[in-house]
Structure formats: C-alpha cells, structure tokens
Amino acid sequence: MSSKDIFEKDPVMEERLGRIREVGSQAIWSLSSCKPGFGVDQLRDDCMDTYWQSDGQLPHLVNVQFRRKTTVQDICIYTDYKLDESYTPSRVSVRAGTNFNDLQEIEVVDLNEPSGWVKIPIKDIHDKPIRTYMIQIAVMSNHQNGRDTHMRQIKVYSPVQQHPSTMFTTVECQQYAVIR
C-alpha cells in the first residue's frame, strides 16, 4: 500500500456524517515506552499539538485492547513530518488478535513524509472489516533512521450499521418508512 492511497478526508468529519464511529474510547490503551508527559493521554486528547513520544528500541508499539470482540474498519493516525522530521514513522505494521500471543499482521504501510491523517483500512481476506479483541500498531522504522517516534493522534473506527429505513432519503419516502 503506498502513502498516496491512504490519505483521506478528516476522519472526524466522516464520523460527524454518521458513516463511521470511533471505538477507541471503549478500549484499554498501552505503549511499549514513552517519555514522561508524552503518553496515551496525549495520543488520545484530540489535540494535534500534543503527541506520544516513544523512548527506547524499535519497534515502538501501541496496544489497543477491547473488552469485547469489536469490529474495526480503519485505523487513522495523525502525523506531521514538517514538525517531527526524523520522529515521523516511515513504516507501520498493524496486527490483530485476541491477545499478545496470537497477533497476526493485517497490514503494512510505507509512509513518505506524511502530514495529516493517514487512513489504514483493516480488512479480512473477504474484504470485510475485522472483528477482534486487540489491535497492535507497530512503528517499524522512522524517517531519516530516527530512533524514537511521534504520533499525534490515533483513532480506531467501526462501520455504522445502516438500518433499512435509512435507504429512503426523500421526505416523501421517509414518512412511510416507520410503522406506527
């Protein structure tokens, strides 16, 4: 997958339009390492000015564990090469499973100086969103052979289930869509 395939519109706008929903708030997040004051709270605070900064050896890991099996359609990562340079991820692996012991690689993405939202579709072999208990995002390498990494935001999205009544879009059709 090339980076030109993965830059999308602002996922928050897609969420406002009701096409996807963010499910990361239903998960327990952990990191392989972080500098003090640059951890999970900054990664999930909806502020593009803050970031997670790793502190240690590659790969750098973000673990997202759900309490129940959850449908995951997209992982969206906000990066800013212009600000972060050698701290910007250049290769990211996304893995899924029930726990740390059975994670399987779902997608590998190479990034070329990304600035903005990077959308990584998460699909099974039938091209459908996966159902999983755990997602792991692994930064395999950084630009300019950087050691530590910066990620400014990560969002985990599920598809919104469409009800049959939503296929009628005109007012005339919608007035007959509900049985009283």
Side-chain angles (χ1 to χ4, degrees):
M1 177 180 284
S2 68
S3 59
K4 68 180 176 53
D5 296 331
I6 55 180
F7 290 94
E8 292 291 323
K9 299 178 250 180
D10 181 353
V12 176
M13 182 59 74
E14 295 292 302
E15 187 176 7
R16 283 190 197 125
L17 293 172
R19 296 181 183 140
I20 54 177
R21 67 184 175 98
E22 210 280 331
V23 294
S25 59
Q26 300 169 10
I28 297 166
W29 291 68
S30 62
L31 304 168
S32 57
S33 66
C34 68
K35 298 248 187 221
F38 296 90
V40 172
D41 291 343
Q42 289 71 35
L43 190 59
R44 297 284 301 157
D45 66 3
D46 291 324
C47 178
M48 305 311 167
D49 297 326
T50 61
Y51 50 86
W52 160 52
Q53 181 173 332
S54 63
D55 186 19
Q57 299 289 323
L58 285 165
H60 303 300
L61 307 175
V62 178
N63 303 302
V64 184
Q65 294 176 277
F66 296 99
R67 290 179 174 86
R68 62 177 64 102
K69 205 169 199 181
T70 302
T71 303
V72 176
Q73 172 178 301
D74 299 307
I75 305 290
C76 293
I77 301 170
Y78 192 89
T79 61
D80 195 334
Y81 179 78
K82 292 176 192 116
L83 292 175
D84 298 327
E85 295 181 350
S86 67
Y87 291 92
T88 307
S90 61
R91 178 166 258 217
V92 176
S93 168
V94 178
R95 305 157 184 171
T98 55
N99 58 51
F100 287 97
N101 300 318
D102 69 354
L103 293 172
Q104 298 286 316
E105 191 167 74
I106 303 292
E107 191 66 63
V108 176
V109 179
D110 290 313
L111 305 172
N112 184 18
E113 300 183 4
S115 289
W117 285 105
V118 176
K119 177 180 169 185
I120 305 171
I122 307 299
K123 308 263 188 227
D124 65 12
I125 58 172
H126 304 293
D127 207 32
K128 301 232 189 266
I130 65 166
R131 292 195 37 80
T132 189
Y133 284 99
M134 182 174 180
I135 294 280
Q136 184 178 75
I137 302 157
V139 176
M140 306 308 287
S141 62
N142 291 316
H143 283 77
Q144 303 169 11
N145 295 317
R147 191 184 99 166
D148 288 326
T149 198
H150 285 182
M151 283 194 193
R152 294 182 173 268
Q153 293 292 299
I154 297 179
K155 303 282 186 183
V156 180
Y157 288 104
S158 277
V160 172
Q161 300 300 321
Q162 295 293 327
H163 299 292
S165 64
T166 60
M167 22 186 248
F168 303 110
T169 56
T170 65
V171 174
E172 292 80 15
C173 288
Q174 285 181 348
Q175 68 185 350
Y176 299 108
V178 179
I179 299 173
R180 297 180 197 245

